[in-house]
Structure formats: structure tokens, C-alpha cells
Amino acid sequence: MAAQAPYSQPGLRSVSQLDVLRPQTRIRALEDNHRPHRTWKGFDARKKRAFTAHTAIARELA
């Protein structure tokens, strides 16, 4: 599995969408965006297949 770049900041589209939100909502959205990334890193550290990680994260979000 290829190494991914560390999660540093959201993309331009996400930033433009977050600009219209209240500050409290924006903070919560950014924090909640980190959670699936931490989950993915855990699967990657345990050498799980990408398909398994995608499925688990999708189920968590559903």
C-alpha cells in the first residue's frame, strides 16, 4: 500500500464551503473530518487492505 501524505488541511473546495459556516460549526466540521483519517491510519498501521478500510469507514459514516 502506498504511503499517503499526512492530513494537513482541507482542500480548496472544502475551505470555500466552510467559509459560509459559523465559527463553532466550522470547528466541529474540521474536527469531525479528522476522525475518519485517524481511523484510516489505524487500518493502515495494521496492514489492512484498502477495500476493508474503505468499507469500514463508509459503514461508520452511514
Side-chain angles (χ1 to χ4, degrees):
M1 193 176 310
Q4 294 181 348
Y7 188 89
S8 57
Q9 64 186 27
L12 295 175
R13 180 174 182 227
S14 294
V15 169
S16 67
Q17 291 175 338
L18 289 171
D19 283 341
V20 298
L21 299 175
R22 295 182 315 189
Q24 298 88 359
T25 307
R26 181 183 172 125
I27 291 169
R28 179 66 188 253
L30 290 172
E31 288 173 353
D32 288 345
N33 207 18
H34 284 281
R35 187 175 42 81
H37 179 71
R38 285 192 305 268
T39 304
W40 176 267
K41 283 175 40 179
F43 280 113
D44 195 35
R46 294 190 312 255
K47 308 283 191 233
K48 296 290 184 178
R49 295 181 304 161
F51 181 79
T52 304
H54 288 301
T55 304
I57 291 171
R59 284 182 178 167
E60 182 179 337
L61 293 174

